[in-house]
Amino acid sequence: MVKNQTRKEETRRNMLDAASRGFRENGFAGVGVDGIAKAANATSGAFYAHFGSKDGAFRAALDLGLDEVIDGVPRFQRDYGDGWTDAFIEYYLGRAHRDDLACGCAMTSLSPEMMRADAQTRALYDRKMQTIATLIAKGLPQFDTQQQRAKAWSFLGILIGGLTMARALSDDSAIDDVSVAIKAAAAGLLKA
């Protein structure tokens, strides 16, 4: 019995990982149930048993991806102290993160999908993004409380938009130009 439960949990984790990578890299319309199941070495029947639908898998992948950011922001704040925003900017727009769609940030990869998502998925997105903005705001003590929240949202908008643009470009020189400009804009926003 325990072995079956462990196997079920492992299958779900594998499918969630495959769904997360697939949706981040290809978008909601770019990956199907069969493709996710195959990438996880599972059956489509197992997929439906775990997620119920493609929307359910997308919701679970979104939840996982935004939780990575929710876990990551405090880690940057703890590890880099007062310089956490500079380290976060460098990481976020760095080549490794920029070039890895499948494992990159869910905020950038999945935010455009929200316009077409169902109400339940959008509510999840709203809650998670509010949490992320709150975490960022808490790490901006150079501003008063009202400014912290506004700066946090602006910081997120600059980074998400900048990374989206850099990923959309194909010319390496233009990508570098955008990355440098967005890094400067994000850092400049947080000067007291």
PDB file of all heavy atoms in Angstrom, residues 108-145:
ATOM      1  N   THR A 108       7.242  35.373 -15.948  1.00  0.00           N
ATOM      2  CA  THR A 108       7.432  35.821 -17.322  1.00  0.00           C
ATOM      3  C   THR A 108       6.762  34.886 -18.318  1.00  0.00           C
ATOM      4  O   THR A 108       6.060  35.328 -19.224  1.00  0.00           O
ATOM      5  CB  THR A 108       8.938  35.948 -17.642  1.00  0.00           C
ATOM      6  OG1 THR A 108       9.496  36.930 -16.775  1.00  0.00           O
ATOM      7  CG2 THR A 108       9.168  36.347 -19.079  1.00  0.00           C
ATOM      8  N   SER A 109       6.963  33.590 -18.130  1.00  0.00           N
ATOM      9  CA  SER A 109       6.451  32.623 -19.104  1.00  0.00           C
ATOM     10  C   SER A 109       4.937  32.460 -19.068  1.00  0.00           C
ATOM     11  O   SER A 109       4.307  32.257 -20.103  1.00  0.00           O
ATOM     12  CB  SER A 109       7.086  31.255 -18.862  1.00  0.00           C
ATOM     13  OG  SER A 109       8.474  31.321 -19.036  1.00  0.00           O
ATOM     14  N   LEU A 110       4.350  32.525 -17.881  1.00  0.00           N
ATOM     15  CA  LEU A 110       2.932  32.188 -17.754  1.00  0.00           C
ATOM     16  C   LEU A 110       2.003  33.390 -17.598  1.00  0.00           C
ATOM     17  O   LEU A 110       0.798  33.255 -17.800  1.00  0.00           O
ATOM     18  CB  LEU A 110       2.740  31.202 -16.598  1.00  0.00           C
ATOM     19  CG  LEU A 110       3.522  29.887 -16.728  1.00  0.00           C
ATOM     20  CD1 LEU A 110       3.249  28.982 -15.541  1.00  0.00           C
ATOM     21  CD2 LEU A 110       3.242  29.183 -18.041  1.00  0.00           C
ATOM     22  N   SER A 111       2.524  34.561 -17.269  1.00  0.00           N
ATOM     23  CA  SER A 111       1.653  35.735 -17.120  1.00  0.00           C
ATOM     24  C   SER A 111       0.828  36.027 -18.373  1.00  0.00           C
ATOM     25  O   SER A 111      -0.366  36.323 -18.264  1.00  0.00           O
ATOM     26  CB  SER A 111       2.459  36.976 -16.729  1.00  0.00           C
ATOM     27  OG  SER A 111       2.883  36.887 -15.384  1.00  0.00           O
ATOM     28  N   PRO A 112       1.412  35.938 -19.580  1.00  0.00           N
ATOM     29  CA  PRO A 112       0.593  36.218 -20.775  1.00  0.00           C
ATOM     30  C   PRO A 112      -0.592  35.262 -20.937  1.00  0.00           C
ATOM     31  O   PRO A 112      -1.584  35.615 -21.571  1.00  0.00           O
ATOM     32  CB  PRO A 112       1.588  36.057 -21.930  1.00  0.00           C
ATOM     33  CG  PRO A 112       2.930  36.303 -21.318  1.00  0.00           C
ATOM     34  CD  PRO A 112       2.826  35.749 -19.927  1.00  0.00           C
ATOM     35  N   GLU A 113      -0.503  34.080 -20.367  1.00  0.00           N
ATOM     36  CA  GLU A 113      -1.583  33.096 -20.469  1.00  0.00           C
ATOM     37  C   GLU A 113      -2.791  33.471 -19.595  1.00  0.00           C
ATOM     38  O   GLU A 113      -3.891  32.961 -19.808  1.00  0.00           O
ATOM     39  CB  GLU A 113      -1.083  31.708 -20.055  1.00  0.00           C
ATOM     40  CG  GLU A 113       0.085  31.191 -20.858  1.00  0.00           C
ATOM     41  CD  GLU A 113      -0.267  30.829 -22.291  1.00  0.00           C
ATOM     42  OE1 GLU A 113      -1.464  30.676 -22.618  1.00  0.00           O
ATOM     43  OE2 GLU A 113       0.671  30.694 -23.102  1.00  0.00           O
ATOM     44  N   MET A 114      -2.598  34.336 -18.631  1.00  0.00           N
ATOM     45  CA  MET A 114      -3.663  34.654 -17.667  1.00  0.00           C
ATOM     46  C   MET A 114      -4.860  35.338 -18.303  1.00  0.00           C
ATOM     47  O   MET A 114      -5.983  35.190 -17.833  1.00  0.00           O
ATOM     48  CB  MET A 114      -3.118  35.525 -16.526  1.00  0.00           C
ATOM     49  CG  MET A 114      -2.165  34.809 -15.594  1.00  0.00           C
ATOM     50  SD  MET A 114      -2.906  33.353 -14.854  1.00  0.00           S
ATOM     51  CE  MET A 114      -2.194  32.081 -15.852  1.00  0.00           C
ATOM     52  N   MET A 115      -4.639  36.053 -19.380  1.00  0.00           N
ATOM     53  CA  MET A 115      -5.744  36.746 -20.041  1.00  0.00           C
ATOM     54  C   MET A 115      -6.808  35.776 -20.549  1.00  0.00           C
ATOM     55  O   MET A 115      -7.962  36.126 -20.675  1.00  0.00           O
ATOM     56  CB  MET A 115      -5.221  37.595 -21.195  1.00  0.00           C
ATOM     57  CG  MET A 115      -4.371  38.754 -20.732  1.00  0.00           C
ATOM     58  SD  MET A 115      -3.592  39.607 -22.108  1.00  0.00           S
ATOM     59  CE  MET A 115      -2.159  38.559 -22.358  1.00  0.00           C
ATOM     60  N   ARG A 116      -6.380  34.549 -20.849  1.00  0.00           N
ATOM     61  CA  ARG A 116      -7.289  33.540 -21.388  1.00  0.00           C
ATOM     62  C   ARG A 116      -7.631  32.456 -20.372  1.00  0.00           C
ATOM     63  O   ARG A 116      -8.345  31.517 -20.689  1.00  0.00           O
ATOM     64  CB  ARG A 116      -6.657  32.906 -22.635  1.00  0.00           C
ATOM     65  CG  ARG A 116      -6.531  33.878 -23.800  1.00  0.00           C
ATOM     66  CD  ARG A 116      -5.723  33.298 -24.942  1.00  0.00           C
ATOM     67  NE  ARG A 116      -4.310  33.110 -24.641  1.00  0.00           N
ATOM     68  CZ  ARG A 116      -3.393  34.083 -24.647  1.00  0.00           C
ATOM     69  NH1 ARG A 116      -3.745  35.315 -24.936  1.00  0.00           N
ATOM     70  NH2 ARG A 116      -2.141  33.828 -24.370  1.00  0.00           N
ATOM     71  N   ALA A 117      -7.134  32.574 -19.169  1.00  0.00           N
ATOM     72  CA  ALA A 117      -7.327  31.534 -18.148  1.00  0.00           C
ATOM     73  C   ALA A 117      -8.710  31.633 -17.511  1.00  0.00           C
ATOM     74  O   ALA A 117      -9.355  32.690 -17.540  1.00  0.00           O
ATOM     75  CB  ALA A 117      -6.249  31.656 -17.076  1.00  0.00           C
ATOM     76  N   ASP A 118      -9.136  30.535 -16.893  1.00  0.00           N
ATOM     77  CA  ASP A 118     -10.429  30.530 -16.200  1.00  0.00           C
ATOM     78  C   ASP A 118     -10.329  31.316 -14.887  1.00  0.00           C
ATOM     79  O   ASP A 118      -9.240  31.688 -14.437  1.00  0.00           O
ATOM     80  CB  ASP A 118     -10.912  29.094 -15.961  1.00  0.00           C
ATOM     81  CG  ASP A 118      -9.997  28.261 -15.073  1.00  0.00           C
ATOM     82  OD1 ASP A 118      -9.341  28.802 -14.154  1.00  0.00           O
ATOM     83  OD2 ASP A 118      -9.944  27.037 -15.285  1.00  0.00           O
ATOM     84  N   ALA A 119     -11.466  31.577 -14.290  1.00  0.00           N
ATOM     85  CA  ALA A 119     -11.537  32.417 -13.086  1.00  0.00           C
ATOM     86  C   ALA A 119     -10.735  31.829 -11.925  1.00  0.00           C
ATOM     87  O   ALA A 119     -10.079  32.567 -11.180  1.00  0.00           O
ATOM     88  CB  ALA A 119     -12.996  32.627 -12.671  1.00  0.00           C
ATOM     89  N   GLN A 120     -10.773  30.526 -11.775  1.00  0.00           N
ATOM     90  CA  GLN A 120     -10.047  29.886 -10.682  1.00  0.00           C
ATOM     91  C   GLN A 120      -8.528  30.072 -10.841  1.00  0.00           C
ATOM     92  O   GLN A 120      -7.825  30.362  -9.867  1.00  0.00           O
ATOM     93  CB  GLN A 120     -10.402  28.398 -10.632  1.00  0.00           C
ATOM     94  CG  GLN A 120      -9.814  27.662  -9.452  1.00  0.00           C
ATOM     95  CD  GLN A 120     -10.201  26.187  -9.429  1.00  0.00           C
ATOM     96  OE1 GLN A 120     -10.917  25.698 -10.296  1.00  0.00           O
ATOM     97  NE2 GLN A 120      -9.715  25.477  -8.420  1.00  0.00           N
ATOM     98  N   THR A 121      -8.047  29.927 -12.054  1.00  0.00           N
ATOM     99  CA  THR A 121      -6.616  30.095 -12.310  1.00  0.00           C
ATOM    100  C   THR A 121      -6.202  31.548 -12.137  1.00  0.00           C
ATOM    101  O   THR A 121      -5.158  31.843 -11.558  1.00  0.00           O
ATOM    102  CB  THR A 121      -6.271  29.586 -13.732  1.00  0.00           C
ATOM    103  OG1 THR A 121      -6.687  28.222 -13.833  1.00  0.00           O
ATOM    104  CG2 THR A 121      -4.791  29.686 -14.014  1.00  0.00           C
ATOM    105  N   ARG A 122      -7.036  32.458 -12.606  1.00  0.00           N
ATOM    106  CA  ARG A 122      -6.724  33.889 -12.438  1.00  0.00           C
ATOM    107  C   ARG A 122      -6.731  34.290 -10.969  1.00  0.00           C
ATOM    108  O   ARG A 122      -5.891  35.088 -10.537  1.00  0.00           O
ATOM    109  CB  ARG A 122      -7.718  34.748 -13.234  1.00  0.00           C
ATOM    110  CG  ARG A 122      -7.476  34.617 -14.735  1.00  0.00           C
ATOM    111  CD  ARG A 122      -8.314  35.543 -15.518  1.00  0.00           C
ATOM    112  NE  ARG A 122      -7.710  36.874 -15.448  1.00  0.00           N
ATOM    113  CZ  ARG A 122      -8.006  37.858 -16.258  1.00  0.00           C
ATOM    114  NH1 ARG A 122      -8.892  37.682 -17.200  1.00  0.00           N
ATOM    115  NH2 ARG A 122      -7.432  39.023 -16.134  1.00  0.00           N
ATOM    116  N   ALA A 123      -7.636  33.726 -10.185  1.00  0.00           N
ATOM    117  CA  ALA A 123      -7.666  34.020  -8.745  1.00  0.00           C
ATOM    118  C   ALA A 123      -6.384  33.523  -8.074  1.00  0.00           C
ATOM    119  O   ALA A 123      -5.810  34.207  -7.215  1.00  0.00           O
ATOM    120  CB  ALA A 123      -8.890  33.396  -8.096  1.00  0.00           C
ATOM    121  N   LEU A 124      -5.913  32.345  -8.467  1.00  0.00           N
ATOM    122  CA  LEU A 124      -4.663  31.815  -7.945  1.00  0.00           C
ATOM    123  C   LEU A 124      -3.509  32.744  -8.309  1.00  0.00           C
ATOM    124  O   LEU A 124      -2.679  33.106  -7.463  1.00  0.00           O
ATOM    125  CB  LEU A 124      -4.404  30.406  -8.502  1.00  0.00           C
ATOM    126  CG  LEU A 124      -3.024  29.813  -8.218  1.00  0.00           C
ATOM    127  CD1 LEU A 124      -2.870  29.511  -6.726  1.00  0.00           C
ATOM    128  CD2 LEU A 124      -2.796  28.568  -9.052  1.00  0.00           C
ATOM    129  N   TYR A 125      -3.453  33.138  -9.572  1.00  0.00           N
ATOM    130  CA  TYR A 125      -2.415  34.050 -10.045  1.00  0.00           C
ATOM    131  C   TYR A 125      -2.438  35.357  -9.249  1.00  0.00           C
ATOM    132  O   TYR A 125      -1.394  35.831  -8.785  1.00  0.00           O
ATOM    133  CB  TYR A 125      -2.611  34.322 -11.536  1.00  0.00           C
ATOM    134  CG  TYR A 125      -1.621  35.291 -12.129  1.00  0.00           C
ATOM    135  CD1 TYR A 125      -0.359  34.870 -12.504  1.00  0.00           C
ATOM    136  CD2 TYR A 125      -1.959  36.627 -12.324  1.00  0.00           C
ATOM    137  CE1 TYR A 125       0.551  35.745 -13.063  1.00  0.00           C
ATOM    138  CE2 TYR A 125      -1.057  37.515 -12.878  1.00  0.00           C
ATOM    139  CZ  TYR A 125       0.201  37.071 -13.243  1.00  0.00           C
ATOM    140  OH  TYR A 125       1.101  37.956 -13.788  1.00  0.00           O
ATOM    141  N   ASP A 126      -3.620  35.923  -9.066  1.00  0.00           N
ATOM    142  CA  ASP A 126      -3.746  37.178  -8.315  1.00  0.00           C
ATOM    143  C   ASP A 126      -3.190  37.028  -6.904  1.00  0.00           C
ATOM    144  O   ASP A 126      -2.409  37.876  -6.433  1.00  0.00           O
ATOM    145  CB  ASP A 126      -5.203  37.632  -8.227  1.00  0.00           C
ATOM    146  CG  ASP A 126      -5.758  38.151  -9.542  1.00  0.00           C
ATOM    147  OD1 ASP A 126      -5.014  38.195 -10.549  1.00  0.00           O
ATOM    148  OD2 ASP A 126      -6.950  38.500  -9.568  1.00  0.00           O
ATOM    149  N   ARG A 127      -3.575  35.961  -6.214  1.00  0.00           N
ATOM    150  CA  ARG A 127      -3.104  35.736  -4.831  1.00  0.00           C
ATOM    151  C   ARG A 127      -1.590  35.598  -4.782  1.00  0.00           C
ATOM    152  O   ARG A 127      -0.929  36.204  -3.931  1.00  0.00           O
ATOM    153  CB  ARG A 127      -3.734  34.478  -4.228  1.00  0.00           C
ATOM    154  CG  ARG A 127      -5.150  34.625  -3.756  1.00  0.00           C
ATOM    155  CD  ARG A 127      -5.604  33.444  -2.900  1.00  0.00           C
ATOM    156  NE  ARG A 127      -5.321  32.128  -3.458  1.00  0.00           N
ATOM    157  CZ  ARG A 127      -6.073  31.496  -4.358  1.00  0.00           C
ATOM    158  NH1 ARG A 127      -7.179  32.068  -4.822  1.00  0.00           N
ATOM    159  NH2 ARG A 127      -5.729  30.299  -4.800  1.00  0.00           N
ATOM    160  N   LYS A 128      -1.046  34.811  -5.670  1.00  0.00           N
ATOM    161  CA  LYS A 128       0.400  34.564  -5.660  1.00  0.00           C
ATOM    162  C   LYS A 128       1.178  35.829  -6.024  1.00  0.00           C
ATOM    163  O   LYS A 128       2.205  36.133  -5.407  1.00  0.00           O
ATOM    164  CB  LYS A 128       0.760  33.428  -6.630  1.00  0.00           C
ATOM    165  CG  LYS A 128       0.154  32.091  -6.284  1.00  0.00           C
ATOM    166  CD  LYS A 128       0.819  31.456  -5.096  1.00  0.00           C
ATOM    167  CE  LYS A 128       0.232  30.077  -4.845  1.00  0.00           C
ATOM    168  NZ  LYS A 128       0.979  29.334  -3.845  1.00  0.00           N
ATOM    169  N   MET A 129       0.713  36.576  -7.018  1.00  0.00           N
ATOM    170  CA  MET A 129       1.413  37.806  -7.398  1.00  0.00           C
ATOM    171  C   MET A 129       1.330  38.853  -6.298  1.00  0.00           C
ATOM    172  O   MET A 129       2.288  39.594  -6.068  1.00  0.00           O
ATOM    173  CB  MET A 129       0.879  38.344  -8.728  1.00  0.00           C
ATOM    174  CG  MET A 129       1.253  37.484  -9.931  1.00  0.00           C
ATOM    175  SD  MET A 129       3.045  37.246 -10.177  1.00  0.00           S
ATOM    176  CE  MET A 129       3.552  38.922 -10.575  1.00  0.00           C
ATOM    177  N   GLN A 130       0.193  38.921  -5.598  1.00  0.00           N
ATOM    178  CA  GLN A 130       0.086  39.833  -4.446  1.00  0.00           C
ATOM    179  C   GLN A 130       1.114  39.450  -3.380  1.00  0.00           C
ATOM    180  O   GLN A 130       1.756  40.320  -2.782  1.00  0.00           O
ATOM    181  CB  GLN A 130      -1.332  39.775  -3.852  1.00  0.00           C
ATOM    182  CG  GLN A 130      -2.415  40.339  -4.734  1.00  0.00           C
ATOM    183  CD  GLN A 130      -2.490  41.853  -4.704  1.00  0.00           C
ATOM    184  OE1 GLN A 130      -1.871  42.520  -3.884  1.00  0.00           O
ATOM    185  NE2 GLN A 130      -3.261  42.413  -5.611  1.00  0.00           N
ATOM    186  N   THR A 131       1.280  38.151  -3.157  1.00  0.00           N
ATOM    187  CA  THR A 131       2.266  37.686  -2.180  1.00  0.00           C
ATOM    188  C   THR A 131       3.673  38.070  -2.611  1.00  0.00           C
ATOM    189  O   THR A 131       4.482  38.538  -1.793  1.00  0.00           O
ATOM    190  CB  THR A 131       2.155  36.149  -1.998  1.00  0.00           C
ATOM    191  OG1 THR A 131       0.843  35.845  -1.514  1.00  0.00           O
ATOM    192  CG2 THR A 131       3.201  35.621  -1.033  1.00  0.00           C
ATOM    193  N   ILE A 132       3.982  37.882  -3.882  1.00  0.00           N
ATOM    194  CA  ILE A 132       5.307  38.235  -4.393  1.00  0.00           C
ATOM    195  C   ILE A 132       5.554  39.732  -4.249  1.00  0.00           C
ATOM    196  O   ILE A 132       6.623  40.155  -3.793  1.00  0.00           O
ATOM    197  CB  ILE A 132       5.459  37.773  -5.864  1.00  0.00           C
ATOM    198  CG1 ILE A 132       5.475  36.236  -5.915  1.00  0.00           C
ATOM    199  CG2 ILE A 132       6.708  38.367  -6.513  1.00  0.00           C
ATOM    200  CD1 ILE A 132       5.261  35.646  -7.305  1.00  0.00           C
ATOM    201  N   ALA A 133       4.574  40.551  -4.604  1.00  0.00           N
ATOM    202  CA  ALA A 133       4.726  42.005  -4.467  1.00  0.00           C
ATOM    203  C   ALA A 133       4.932  42.389  -3.002  1.00  0.00           C
ATOM    204  O   ALA A 133       5.757  43.260  -2.693  1.00  0.00           O
ATOM    205  CB  ALA A 133       3.508  42.720  -5.046  1.00  0.00           C
ATOM    206  N   THR A 134       4.221  41.745  -2.099  1.00  0.00           N
ATOM    207  CA  THR A 134       4.379  42.023  -0.669  1.00  0.00           C
ATOM    208  C   THR A 134       5.783  41.665  -0.195  1.00  0.00           C
ATOM    209  O   THR A 134       6.416  42.429   0.553  1.00  0.00           O
ATOM    210  CB  THR A 134       3.319  41.250   0.149  1.00  0.00           C
ATOM    211  OG1 THR A 134       2.024  41.718  -0.247  1.00  0.00           O
ATOM    212  CG2 THR A 134       3.500  41.449   1.638  1.00  0.00           C
ATOM    213  N   LEU A 135       6.294  40.525  -0.628  1.00  0.00           N
ATOM    214  CA  LEU A 135       7.648  40.117  -0.247  1.00  0.00           C
ATOM    215  C   LEU A 135       8.686  41.101  -0.766  1.00  0.00           C
ATOM    216  O   LEU A 135       9.629  41.457  -0.049  1.00  0.00           O
ATOM    217  CB  LEU A 135       7.946  38.709  -0.779  1.00  0.00           C
ATOM    218  CG  LEU A 135       7.193  37.575  -0.113  1.00  0.00           C
ATOM    219  CD1 LEU A 135       7.359  36.278  -0.907  1.00  0.00           C
ATOM    220  CD2 LEU A 135       7.663  37.384   1.327  1.00  0.00           C
ATOM    221  N   ILE A 136       8.531  41.534  -1.999  1.00  0.00           N
ATOM    222  CA  ILE A 136       9.467  42.505  -2.563  1.00  0.00           C
ATOM    223  C   ILE A 136       9.366  43.824  -1.807  1.00  0.00           C
ATOM    224  O   ILE A 136      10.377  44.421  -1.441  1.00  0.00           O
ATOM    225  CB  ILE A 136       9.231  42.683  -4.071  1.00  0.00           C
ATOM    226  CG1 ILE A 136       9.670  41.406  -4.800  1.00  0.00           C
ATOM    227  CG2 ILE A 136       9.973  43.909  -4.614  1.00  0.00           C
ATOM    228  CD1 ILE A 136       9.319  41.359  -6.261  1.00  0.00           C
ATOM    229  N   ALA A 137       8.139  44.272  -1.544  1.00  0.00           N
ATOM    230  CA  ALA A 137       7.943  45.535  -0.822  1.00  0.00           C
ATOM    231  C   ALA A 137       8.619  45.510   0.542  1.00  0.00           C
ATOM    232  O   ALA A 137       9.240  46.501   0.956  1.00  0.00           O
ATOM    233  CB  ALA A 137       6.445  45.814  -0.670  1.00  0.00           C
ATOM    234  N   LYS A 138       8.548  44.384   1.232  1.00  0.00           N
ATOM    235  CA  LYS A 138       9.197  44.262   2.551  1.00  0.00           C
ATOM    236  C   LYS A 138      10.707  44.388   2.454  1.00  0.00           C
ATOM    237  O   LYS A 138      11.358  44.742   3.425  1.00  0.00           O
ATOM    238  CB  LYS A 138       8.831  42.925   3.193  1.00  0.00           C
ATOM    239  CG  LYS A 138       7.411  42.866   3.699  1.00  0.00           C
ATOM    240  CD  LYS A 138       7.111  41.509   4.320  1.00  0.00           C
ATOM    241  CE  LYS A 138       5.677  41.435   4.796  1.00  0.00           C
ATOM    242  NZ  LYS A 138       5.337  40.103   5.316  1.00  0.00           N
ATOM    243  N   GLY A 139      11.247  44.118   1.307  1.00  0.00           N
ATOM    244  CA  GLY A 139      12.688  44.231   1.106  1.00  0.00           C
ATOM    245  C   GLY A 139      13.127  45.585   0.594  1.00  0.00           C
ATOM    246  O   GLY A 139      14.265  45.732   0.134  1.00  0.00           O
ATOM    247  N   LEU A 140      12.238  46.581   0.673  1.00  0.00           N
ATOM    248  CA  LEU A 140      12.558  47.938   0.209  1.00  0.00           C
ATOM    249  C   LEU A 140      12.406  48.943   1.345  1.00  0.00           C
ATOM    250  O   LEU A 140      11.590  49.868   1.266  1.00  0.00           O
ATOM    251  CB  LEU A 140      11.641  48.305  -0.969  1.00  0.00           C
ATOM    252  CG  LEU A 140      11.665  47.367  -2.177  1.00  0.00           C
ATOM    253  CD1 LEU A 140      10.628  47.802  -3.204  1.00  0.00           C
ATOM    254  CD2 LEU A 140      13.055  47.285  -2.789  1.00  0.00           C
ATOM    255  N   PRO A 141      13.189  48.810   2.415  1.00  0.00           N
ATOM    256  CA  PRO A 141      13.018  49.675   3.591  1.00  0.00           C
ATOM    257  C   PRO A 141      13.395  51.136   3.344  1.00  0.00           C
ATOM    258  O   PRO A 141      13.063  51.989   4.164  1.00  0.00           O
ATOM    259  CB  PRO A 141      13.947  49.037   4.632  1.00  0.00           C
ATOM    260  CG  PRO A 141      15.009  48.377   3.826  1.00  0.00           C
ATOM    261  CD  PRO A 141      14.304  47.874   2.583  1.00  0.00           C
ATOM    262  N   GLN A 142      14.032  51.437   2.224  1.00  0.00           N
ATOM    263  CA  GLN A 142      14.411  52.816   1.918  1.00  0.00           C
ATOM    264  C   GLN A 142      13.207  53.686   1.544  1.00  0.00           C
ATOM    265  O   GLN A 142      13.322  54.899   1.448  1.00  0.00           O
ATOM    266  CB  GLN A 142      15.481  52.854   0.817  1.00  0.00           C
ATOM    267  CG  GLN A 142      15.031  52.422  -0.567  1.00  0.00           C
ATOM    268  CD  GLN A 142      15.160  50.939  -0.852  1.00  0.00           C
ATOM    269  OE1 GLN A 142      14.915  50.105   0.002  1.00  0.00           O
ATOM    270  NE2 GLN A 142      15.540  50.610  -2.084  1.00  0.00           N
ATOM    271  N   PHE A 143      12.043  53.033   1.363  1.00  0.00           N
ATOM    272  CA  PHE A 143      10.831  53.763   0.990  1.00  0.00           C
ATOM    273  C   PHE A 143       9.780  53.622   2.080  1.00  0.00           C
ATOM    274  O   PHE A 143       9.788  52.654   2.837  1.00  0.00           O
ATOM    275  CB  PHE A 143      10.264  53.224  -0.330  1.00  0.00           C
ATOM    276  CG  PHE A 143      11.222  53.332  -1.480  1.00  0.00           C
ATOM    277  CD1 PHE A 143      11.854  52.198  -1.986  1.00  0.00           C
ATOM    278  CD2 PHE A 143      11.514  54.561  -2.048  1.00  0.00           C
ATOM    279  CE1 PHE A 143      12.750  52.290  -3.034  1.00  0.00           C
ATOM    280  CE2 PHE A 143      12.407  54.660  -3.101  1.00  0.00           C
ATOM    281  CZ  PHE A 143      13.032  53.521  -3.600  1.00  0.00           C
ATOM    282  N   ASP A 144       8.843  54.593   2.130  1.00  0.00           N
ATOM    283  CA  ASP A 144       7.739  54.451   3.087  1.00  0.00           C
ATOM    284  C   ASP A 144       6.803  53.342   2.602  1.00  0.00           C
ATOM    285  O   ASP A 144       6.905  52.878   1.470  1.00  0.00           O
ATOM    286  CB  ASP A 144       7.003  55.778   3.307  1.00  0.00           C
ATOM    287  CG  ASP A 144       6.245  56.292   2.083  1.00  0.00           C
ATOM    288  OD1 ASP A 144       5.577  55.479   1.400  1.00  0.00           O
ATOM    289  OD2 ASP A 144       6.298  57.505   1.814  1.00  0.00           O
ATOM    290  N   THR A 145       5.882  52.922   3.453  1.00  0.00           N
ATOM    291  CA  THR A 145       5.035  51.759   3.181  1.00  0.00           C
ATOM    292  C   THR A 145       4.274  51.875   1.867  1.00  0.00           C
ATOM    293  O   THR A 145       4.227  50.920   1.082  1.00  0.00           O
ATOM    294  CB  THR A 145       4.047  51.547   4.342  1.00  0.00           C
ATOM    295  OG1 THR A 145       4.808  51.447   5.550  1.00  0.00           O
ATOM    296  CG2 THR A 145       3.253  50.278   4.164  1.00  0.00           C
TER     297      THR A 145
END
